[in-house]
Amino acid sequence: MCAMAVAPGVFSGWFGHGDPRECTLERSGQGPAAGHPFGFDIQGCDLYSNVVHGTRDSLTIGLLATGLSFAVAVVLGSLAGYFGGLVDQVISRVMDIFFGFPLLIGMIVVLQTFGVHDVWSVSVVLALFTWPSLTRIMRSSVLAVRSLEFVTAARELGAGTLRILVRHVIPNAIAPVAVLTSLSIGAVITAEAALTFLGVGLTAPAMSWGVQLNAAQEYFTEHLNLLVFPALFLSVAVLSFVLLGDCLRDAFDPRSR
Amino acid sequence: MSRSSRAVSPDESPVNRDGDPLSSARPLVLEASDLVKRHRSSGFLRSRASSDTPAVDGVSLRLRQGETLGLVGESGCGKSSLARLLTAVDRPTSGHVEVLGRRLDQLDGRALRAARRNIQLVFQDPYTCLDPRMTVGAIVREPLLIHRDPAPRRDRRRRVAELLELVGLNPDHADRRPHEFSGGQRQRIGIARALALRPEVVVCDEPVSALDVSVQAQIVNLFTALQRELGIAYVFISHDLAVVEHMADRVAVMHHGRIVEQGTVDEIYDHARHPYTAELLSSSPAPLP
């Protein structure tokens, strides 16, 4: 189940008509037919292969954005939690500024200033607004780990700050933020779909579930399949990442090894 | 030999007041004078209320090679704060700590790391003092990785096995993680880690108070056996007077951050001079006949 969201990327040729760009306008909006299990979109393209090819951009954005914010969160959260004082003050106040923004409006405004809306720019903007919550979690779990005696023991042995952080503090503090990150992959994919739906995310020649949902919004009263299938894939992917989060939580417990 | 009845810092004059003529022949390994630790109350809203009493208030003590100094006192009297000062985990507000004649409280970086080899700490809680994500072997090996010279790379594995054996653990269990061990065994792991660098002084901060009584006895016996074998000096912190009486050559009684009385076990246990010592002794339950 965890792997299912990643796998469809290679599935597109399964039902014969694999090329998502091979379209005939006369089949516009038709329902499922032999070799085209999901039917056709408004341009007459095979919807199944479109949805399958959309997986790549949607997942790339989800993984890239959360990967970026996870990296930022681990670094900044550990610094803020471990050193405290001025470092903590600065990082925490910057987080507060981001918490003050209305999320979606903030993302729309920032994306408007970008010239190109490709996978990278959308991921960066999404990461820009997801790192503060992850950093806050990381900071608080580092605070908890920092006061444990094995950290004192390492300091007393003469270990350097870097060694203490990398060997002792981060491995013991990372579990909550890693679990939360895998949960937020789902949220980020949804946010990307929402941004695209609002017209500031990826644009038409690119394929993502958001683009397809965006295209579907005008026609779904007549052609329900345009809305249902991308939405179904989106839900399954989000659910899978939630489950992945659960798996991670179990895997991070040293007792279970 | 006459001990001053003044409460604080009995080591001010050059006259030896250790009360043990034998040990005075051995070299000093640890000396602390006038240690003060004031915990700064942080936050700008609370900065006015800085009239708080210091956790450690003018403590002086000396320790000779192979000797055990018991440090007793009720909880909250500053014993653990003192342990953190002696091992340079915290820096004193004033006063100084000397280990083998080197000032520990002023050193930084590389010099501090080198000086720390000679003084190690054994913790109270065997459950939080070991990194749960590391194997026992990695925990005991870590001091050898931080200080490269005591054991060259090829000897490390053997040295870890040696240390585990020394504290009575099976060296074959080095690949296990701490949660697979009992409290007493975990404490042995902590002791092995402390001994890895062959320190002269080991500061034991309530090392047996988290263990049940039968295990306590085993660990106490391990401490005394290690002392006989390796000539280590202990600062043995405990609130358990019976354990300290068994372990210590000399005893220091701590109260509100000060050492109120210091002397040999006999002097303290049979002829307590300070009222607080008498109170402390009378408050502990009498041992069964």
Side-chain angles (χ1 to χ4, degrees), chain A residues 70-71 73-75 78 134 137-143 145 165-166 168-182 248-249 251-253 257, chain B residues 133:
Chain A
F70 177 69
V74 168
V75 173
S78 324
L134 295 180
I137 302 290
M138 187 66 189
R139 173 180 170 272
S140 59
S141 62
V142 166
L143 274 178
V145 170
L165 274 175
V166 173
H168 297 285
V169 175
I170 292 179
N172 282 289
I174 209 165
V177 78
V179 170
L180 199 75
T181 300
S182 68
L248 267 183
R249 184 167 38 214
F252 267 112
D253 188 355
R257 262 186 274 166
Chain B
R133 314 194 68 83

Side-chain angles (χ1 to χ4, degrees), chain A residues 148-160 163 167-169 171-172 251-257, chain B residues 84 87 89 113 116 119-121 123-125 128-134 142-143 145-147 177 179 193:
Chain A
L148 293 178
E149 277 182 337
F150 64 80
V151 176
T152 313
R155 266 207 293 160
E156 204 272 330
L157 286 169
R163 184 188 186 86
R167 300 266 325 205
H168 297 285
V169 175
N172 282 289
F252 267 112
D253 188 355
R255 260 159 266 271
S256 64
R257 262 186 274 166
Chain B
R84 292 170 69 93
T87 50
V89 171
R113 188 184 302 178
R116 267 181 164 147
I119 183 157
Q120 292 292 317
L121 188 55
F123 292 86
Q124 170 173 13
D125 186 346
T128 60
C129 77
L130 307 175
D131 189 334
R133 314 194 68 83
M134 289 167 77
E142 189 169 36
L145 295 175
I146 295 168
H147 302 263
R177 281 168 213 280
H179 66 86
R193 174 177 61 187

